[in-house]
Amino acid sequence: MSGERKFRYVGTRPVRHDGLDKVTGRANYGADFTLPGLLHGYVLRSPHAHARIVSIDTSAADAVPGVKAVVTGADIPKSTAMLSLGGGKGGFDLADMGDNLLAHDKALYEGHAVAAVAATSAEIAREAAEQIAVVYERLPPVLTVDQALAPNAAILHDRLVTKGQPLPDAPTPTNVAMRMELRGGDVDKGFAESDIIVEYEFTTPMVHQGYIEPHACVARYGEDGQILVWTSTQGPFIVRDCCAGILGLDAATIKVVPSEIGGGFGGKIPVYLEPVAIALSRKAHRPVKMVMSRDDVFRASGPTSGAKVRMKIGVKQDGTIVAASGSLYYEAGAYPGSPAATGAMCALAPYKIPNFVIEAFDIVVNRPKVAAYRAPGSPSAAFATESVLDEIARRLGFDPIDLRLKNAVEEGDAAPYGPKYGPIGLRQVLEATKNHPHWQAPLGPNQGRGVGCGFWFNAGLSSSATVSLSSDGSATVVTGNPDIGGTRVAQSIMVSEELGIPVERVRATVADTDSIGYSDLTGGSRVCYATGMAVIKAAQDVRDQLRARAAKIWDVDVDSVAWNDGCAVPLEPADDRTPLTVHQLAEKIAQTGGPIIGRASVNAPMAGPAFAASICDIEVDKETGVSRVVRYTTIQDVGKAVHPSFVEGQMQGGAAQGIGWALNEEYIYSPDGLMQNAGFLDYRMPVASDLPMIDTVIIEVENPLHPYGVRGVGEVPIVPPLATVANAMRDATGIRFTDLPLSPPRVLEALARY
Amino acid sequence: MTTLHVQTTINREPAEFLCEPVETLLDALRDRLNLTGTKEGCATGDCGACSVLFNGRLVPSCLVLAAEVHGQEVLTVEGAAHGDTLHPVQQKLLEHAALQCGICTPGFVVAAKALLDHNPNPTEEEARYWLAGNLCRCTGYDKIIRAVLDAAESMRSDTREVTV
Amino acid sequence: MATIYFLSGLKQYTGGVESLTVDAPRVRELMQAVTERFPALSEPLQMMSIAVDGAIHRHPDYLKLSAGSEVHLVPRISGG
């Protein structure tokens, strides 16, 4: 616990060491790697949203000159394993993941991979793949939650039964993979006691994380059975363990080298190409490179769930929330695994509500299998809760921030999912929001203002770190976490803080899976928190070893040596021995015992959740329906900002993604289940001219579990914007929009109706 | 397919390569010349990650045929710096922490250089509209715009001659 | 003595029982007592995380419990 600790390097803004390579184009991403003898892989994908695969004849492709290997689902064993992060059961269902990357019996979405070809050029691979004869028996597509729940809906998986807590008359087989419920108090009694009740049904669309770098990898299956995979991923160990599990190999035979990663946001946690590339390489006896096209990324990677959410909240006249009930329906895509349970846990998390019931459904549909996207589940749930509260504030005549403050959870309150909150910063975030000049600034014509808040956990999980000190006093820190947003420089700062050497002399590296201990993914807002813990401990290990070396030099017991301000000093204040600096101790590394390597591994608990809020001013053009965000402020409790610029970057990036989700992004499907807008022109993400400067306010309520008080920062910023923007639209137009995105055609249609 | 022999100038130096007629400039830069700084984000001209200057004009190299640059001049991100001296845009992007994953950064370096070549004193709005063809998913553009405007100011007040 | 709480979705496996207080030194012994008493919980437990005094863990089998520890079973949370 840092308490009143004065930091020397934490909180500063050094330029990141790896930045030079990025501004000069030298940094190597997934598609920038090559090996001698490289082949190019191409994936043949289903043109149908739902079909039985009757037969696949690859003979024509095999015969094309330049083709060295062809694989289908028959080359991927039907695994029955479940892979949990860090080992153990639960987590990724490898049977589903294996079927997703090469279909066995059914094509479950347009874009579902059915075969792959490796050839001497990308063009030959593609032309050969198009000669593979696949016989499909088309089935009716199920595209939405409502279609999936309809009485005679086509069923995606014959053997699917509803896990968790199914409704009493739940049919089998079904498209409902899971139902769960959270309940507290007596919700009927609560509503009976309410003075005002507001209920709406909301929808949020399926959206894509939108990382600019498509998935890309190179795999080489060596004749000795050793496998090298170069890939753009958020989790090299996850890639390793998924490939091992799916292909039935030992994890130790696979070395995964993570490239620089061009964005992930959760979408680069699963594997799509790597096991296929390994299988092709094994058959071809040459390395194989596979890169997704942008079209593939939209149709066949892992967007996040669209959702339907019914939310009903009851309050007393004095603004106290007494009851809430919600039903959340999430699209899982082709296989079970939407963030339904997580959404349910987040929906009411910021508020003290004595009587509540939340149910959540994980529903399969003929769309790509969903993957995580920044605080999965929480944005859709918060959209509902924060919109309803906004409406309640209007009806009560309450300031919307005061309404939230009145009901805000504090340390010691129970979360809706059970445990009590430790120290949290919701109140501070809301007060900072209320006191921000943005909240009082005047609005122009056709402008409206909205506010919203949200909640997210930060993951703990396992991380490893080593810190090595060179004899010249410089240091390296090595972890297994790809750097998506500046975590390497944050790690350098942490080592500097512990050892007292300048940040420029500490180099942080992301290592391959052979060179560092197991580390869970980059994501889940966990790198500065959990990997940071490991880095700090490894640096402290170095410090302890340096104290022992000083003890040797002074010929005293190590317990009489302390550490202060970058030096080994005598513990006894009366001892006037000259302190030994890191530099001086480093020079004597060889003489005092040999190399100094600090190491640590952690399996951190999930603790120290984060709250965020935002204020949005929107201007609506009533002739065209175009809405423009003219001002946006985001406020967040980050625990402790190790490198404030990169913390601000996370806040701004998450806000921009949330704004895009609210205003323009959505997967548009034909009734046949074919995606109509699988490109950046029509899948409309925010561009520079769409957004104003995004002001950030960093609140620091220390997380007691981390030595510096760090909380995860990466995900919660995307949670408030959906409702914040919709609330601003309500203010600007008088219309309560319940269906996102608020694209111009929708806005025009609503303006015409009201 | 005939293989074409293209002779051109890339980053102020003569360069040549063989390519197919259908090959794009992006593919030729990356696969023939090993200049992998220019990135493919979409191959349909919508994301700006492949931005290069073609005779000083900002273009998406995925929509230019490799053969078109025969006898012409191309500048890629690898040519933005002069030896060890970074272009002010590159320097300011680093100082403002205006990159997170960095995949869009080469495109922004080239596009911002083109902006400042063309308009040394852009307003925030002019910068935003000029750069609207460069997608960034990580930063929300705030720090990028600040960095570009800061680079513009430092270039205006810089008395050193900068050869382009 | 640690107390474990069963959120509403799990009460179907405990016959309506909402909490259990057990004299267990570690999470492992607590879970053994729980699954002995409520065998139907064994399978759902494998897909859950365990929160001890507010901190959520994936595999805290050997985590020591103290007097008055509060334990909750929480659905697995995935991040991005």
Side-chain angles (χ1 to χ4, degrees):
Chain A
M1 179 66 159
S2 53
E4 297 304 318
R5 179 171 177 174
K6 286 262 175 290
F7 289 103
R8 195 159 153 200
Y9 297 103
V10 169
T12 61
R13 301 172 187 253
V15 171
R16 59 195 285 184
H17 310 70
D18 56 284
L20 194 67
D21 279 354
K22 296 199 161 167
V23 299
T24 55
R26 285 200 289 266
N28 289 322
Y29 293 82
D32 298 333
F33 185 69
T34 187
L35 284 172
L38 193 73
L39 298 174
H40 297 267
Y42 181 87
V43 178
L44 182 69
R45 299 184 180 281
S46 167
H48 306 299
H50 194 193
R52 203 170 309 282
I53 297 174
V54 177
S55 64
I56 305 182
D57 180 358
T58 64
S59 51
D62 290 315
V64 172
V67 167
K68 302 299 178 190
V70 180
V71 296
T72 66
D75 295 286
I76 306 283
K78 269 196 184 178
S79 172
T80 52
M82 292 283 287
L83 181 80
S84 177
L85 294 177
K89 292 197 73 174
F92 295 109
D93 185 326
L94 291 185
D96 285 348
M97 195 178 264
D99 197 63
N100 190 40
L101 42 93
L102 276 176
H104 291 88
D105 305 319
K106 279 178 110 176
L108 289 165
Y109 56 98
E110 179 218 13
H112 195 165
V114 298
V117 177
T120 49
S121 79
E123 290 69 46
I124 293 174
R126 181 176 52 80
E127 283 165 15
E130 284 164 2
Q131 295 182 46
I132 296 175
V134 186
V135 178
Y136 294 101
E137 179 199 316
R138 290 177 67 169
L139 299 167
V142 171
L143 295 173
T144 65
V145 151
D146 289 333
Q147 286 176 10
L149 295 174
N152 294 313
I155 299 292
L156 272 69
H157 301 276
D158 309 10
R159 278 189 273 260
L160 193 69
V161 294
T162 307
K163 288 199 171 118
Q165 199 177 1
L167 291 170
D169 50 359
T172 42
T174 175
N175 290 321
V176 179
M178 188 275 305
R179 176 182 175 278
M180 60 87 80
E181 204 183 83
L182 291 174
R183 198 183 274 272
D186 179 341
V187 77
D188 294 326
K189 179 160 162 290
F191 281 121
E193 288 169 4
S194 303
D195 295 322
I196 291 182
I197 296 175
V198 171
E199 177 176 11
Y200 283 100
E201 185 174 288
F202 301 88
T203 62
T204 58
M206 170 172 272
V207 292
H208 197 274
Q209 300 84 349
Y211 34 81
I212 307 298
E213 181 208 19
H215 299 260
C217 72
V218 175
R220 179 183 66 199
Y221 190 100
E223 300 314 313
D224 57 355
Q226 296 298 306
I227 297 166
L228 173 73
V229 177
W230 164 280
T231 181
S232 173
T233 177
Q234 290 174 245
F237 287 90
I238 296 177
V239 172
R240 184 194 71 174
D241 293 353
C242 283
C243 288
I246 288 170
L247 296 170
L249 303 166
D250 267 352
T253 60
I254 304 175
K255 170 167 155 173
V256 178
V257 182
S259 69
E260 295 293 329
I261 172 175
F265 315 110
K268 288 190 178 156
I269 297 171
V271 295
Y272 298 100
L273 299 174
E274 296 86 343
V276 178
I278 292 173
L280 284 169
S281 179
R282 183 163 53 183
K283 268 194 175 180
H285 304 283
R286 283 167 67 168
V288 176
K289 180 173 187 173
M290 298 185 76
V291 180
M292 276 198 191
S293 66
R294 178 54 52 183
D295 195 88
D296 286 346
V297 173
F298 275 115
R299 288 182 215 277
S301 62
T304 195
S305 309
K308 180 169 88 167
V309 181
R310 264 198 306 276
M311 182 65 66
K312 174 176 165 186
I313 298 179
V315 299
K316 307 222 53 98
Q317 279 298 342
D318 72 352
T320 312
I321 303 175
V322 287
S325 78
S327 301
L328 291 69
Y329 303 83
Y330 285 83
E331 297 164 353
Y335 304 87
S338 76
T342 320
M345 291 161 75
C346 293
L348 304 175
Y351 306 110
K352 286 189 266 234
I353 306 180
N355 308 295
F356 64 90
V357 61
I358 301 279
E359 59 172 357
F361 298 81
D362 179 33
I363 300 171
V364 294
V365 292
N366 292 118
R367 292 175 179 233
K369 175 175 176 22
V370 301
Y373 178 23
R374 221 165 190 162
S378 191
S380 300
F383 173 53
T385 306
E386 296 295 304
S387 296
V388 170
L389 286 177
D390 192 65
E391 218 35 60
I392 286 174
R394 287 176 178 276
R395 295 192 201 179
L396 283 178
F398 253 67
D399 173 291
I401 303 179
D402 284 337
L403 177 65
R404 289 165 173 83
L405 275 165
K406 189 166 181 66
N407 295 281
V409 286
E410 292 169 312
E411 182 174 357
D413 288 329
Y417 48 91
K420 296 201 173 82
Y421 289 114
I424 47 175
L426 174 58
R427 181 159 295 278
Q428 293 88 327
V429 164
L430 289 170
E431 273 158 10
T433 308
K434 191 166 175 198
N435 294 329
H436 196 281
H438 184 175
W439 189 239
Q440 301 300 333
L443 283 166
N446 293 315
Q447 291 186 354
R449 176 169 298 148
V451 70
C453 74
F455 163 88
W456 186 250
F457 314 88
N458 60 229
L461 301 174
S462 299
S463 283
S464 307
T466 60
V467 175
S468 299
L469 187 65
S470 300
S471 58
D472 66 0
S474 65
T476 53
V477 48
V478 179
T479 67
N481 286 103
D483 182 356
I484 344 184
T487 43
R488 270 172 297 196
V489 66
Q491 288 160 8
S492 296
I493 288 174
M494 293 179 209
V495 172
S496 291
E497 194 68 54
E498 294 301 315
L499 295 182
I501 54 185
V503 180
E504 309 80 66
R505 305 208 75 209
V506 181
R507 187 80 195 206
T509 301
V510 177
D512 62 67
T513 55
D514 279 359
S515 308
I516 187 67
Y518 181 89
S519 296
D520 277 313
L521 70 156
T522 287
S525 312
R526 64 175 298 269
V527 178
C528 262
Y529 169 63
T531 302
M533 277 185 201
V535 166
I536 291 166
K537 278 189 178 186
Q540 288 170 344
D541 186 3
V542 167
R543 224 168 56 192
D544 289 341
Q545 292 177 54
L546 288 172
R547 281 173 50 236
R549 304 303 176 94
K552 209 171 212 175
I553 293 170
W554 290 334
D555 198 13
V556 297
D557 197 76
V558 67
D559 292 329
S560 66
V561 179
W563 188 270
N564 185 30
D565 202 20
C567 299
V569 301
L571 184 64
E572 178 56 55
D575 187 335
D576 64 357
R577 229 188 280 260
T578 313
L580 285 167
T581 64
V582 174
H583 203 101
Q584 290 166 321
L585 290 164
E587 278 176 338
K588 293 192 161 28
I589 278 179
Q591 301 97 301
T592 55
I596 289 186
I597 312 161
R599 91 187 208 334
S601 62
V602 301
N603 186 355
M606 176 181 283
F611 290 90
S614 53
I615 309 169
C616 174
D617 290 352
I618 209 157
E619 185 177 285
V620 184
D621 182 329
K622 299 203 164 132
E623 277 184 49
T624 60
V626 172
S627 320
R628 208 169 51 90
V629 174
V630 297
R631 188 168 176 183
Y632 200 93
T633 305
T634 178
I635 305 101
Q636 184 173 326
D637 172 21
V638 309
K640 185 78 200 155
V642 174
H643 190 311
S645 301
F646 288 106
V647 170
E648 290 159 2
Q650 293 299 312
M651 294 167 70
Q652 292 166 333
Q657 287 181 317
I659 290 168
W661 198 343
L663 287 180
N664 263 303
E665 295 177 41
E666 58 177 325
Y667 266 52
I668 298 175
Y669 279 95
S670 70
D672 283 353
L674 309 182
M675 189 184 182
Q676 302 296 291
N677 62 334
F680 282 137
L681 185 64
D682 295 318
Y683 182 86
R684 180 69 166 77
M685 304 190 327
V687 302
S689 51
D690 291 327
L691 297 172
M693 294 298 182
I694 300 173
D695 292 324
T696 58
V697 177
I698 291 176
I699 303 284
E700 291 177 325
V701 174
E702 284 172 16
N703 175 5
L705 259 82
H706 185 279
Y708 301 163
V710 162
R711 290 178 197 274
V713 306
E715 292 174 286
V716 73
I718 203 178
V719 181
L722 277 60
T724 304
V725 168
N727 291 340
M729 289 292 282
R730 166 70 172 86
D731 196 44
T733 63
I735 300 170
R736 170 61 55 193
F737 287 91
T738 56
D739 302 300
L740 298 183
L742 308 182
S743 51
R746 285 219 179 85
V747 172
L748 277 181
E749 191 258 346
L751 287 171
R753 236 189 306 138
Y754 290 100
Chain B
M1 271 286 192
T2 339
T3 304
L4 302 172
H5 178 207
V6 175
Q7 288 171 299
T8 179
T9 305
I10 311 263
N11 299 332
R12 303 175 289 275
E13 285 185 12
E16 60 185 317
F17 54 87
L18 298 175
C19 69
E20 307 286 328
V22 297
E23 209 163 310
T24 65
L25 175 59
L26 175 62
D27 287 337
L29 287 170
R30 289 180 55 82
D31 300 333
R32 305 286 185 177
L33 294 171
N34 292 318
L35 290 168
T36 56
T38 307
K39 307 297 180 193
E40 177 177 315
C42 70
T44 53
D46 297 312
C47 75
C50 70
S51 299
V52 300
L53 298 187
F54 183 12
N55 292 336
R57 186 178 162 201
L58 181 64
V59 298
S61 58
C62 68
L63 294 184
V64 175
L65 292 173
E68 289 184 64
V69 305
H70 184 73
Q72 311 299 316
E73 287 183 17
V74 177
L75 188 96
T76 70
V77 64
E78 288 94 342
H82 285 261
D84 283 343
T85 307
L86 293 179
H87 189 281
V89 165
Q90 291 171 305
Q91 185 60 39
K92 292 301 178 183
L93 287 172
L94 286 174
E95 286 171 18
H96 284 261
L99 55 138
Q100 290 178 33
C101 81
I103 193 77
C104 72
T105 305
F108 270 101
V109 167
V110 171
K113 173 181 154 47
L115 165 66
L116 299 182
D117 287 347
H118 175 83
N119 177 358
N121 193 4
T123 62
E124 179 188 330
E125 189 175 39
E126 284 171 333
R128 285 184 178 279
Y129 275 88
W130 182 277
L131 295 171
N134 289 76
L135 287 180
C136 173
R137 198 53 161 169
C138 294
T139 68
Y141 307 101
D142 181 299
K143 293 181 188 298
I144 294 177
I145 300 295
R146 288 181 201 275
V148 171
L149 295 175
D150 193 8
E153 198 193 305
S154 87
M155 284 168 77
R156 287 194 305 273
S157 64
D158 199 344
T159 54
R160 274 185 307 126
E161 237 174 46
V162 177
T163 31
V164 297
Chain C
M1 301 292 278
T3 307
I4 178 167
Y5 297 89
F6 306 109
L7 50 75
S8 44
L10 296 173
K11 287 198 282 196
Q12 61 177 319
Y13 306 110
T14 65
V17 172
E18 286 189 3
S19 70
L20 195 66
T21 303
V22 179
D23 189 4
R26 305 175 302 182
V27 170
R28 182 181 167 78
E29 285 78 33
L30 174 65
M31 290 306 150
Q32 276 168 351
V34 164
T35 48
E36 245 173 61
R37 172 88 185 265
F38 308 116
L41 258 181
S42 308
E43 213 201 288
L45 256 181
Q46 286 172 4
M47 304 301 294
M48 305 207 81
S49 294
I50 299 177
V52 179
D53 297 321
I56 304 173
H57 302 258
R58 285 247 165 157
H59 309 291
D61 298 26
Y62 304 105
L63 192 66
K64 286 196 162 65
L65 297 167
S66 43
S69 273
E70 284 189 14
V71 178
H72 288 87
L73 299 172
V74 168
R76 283 271 163 86
I77 297 153
S78 61

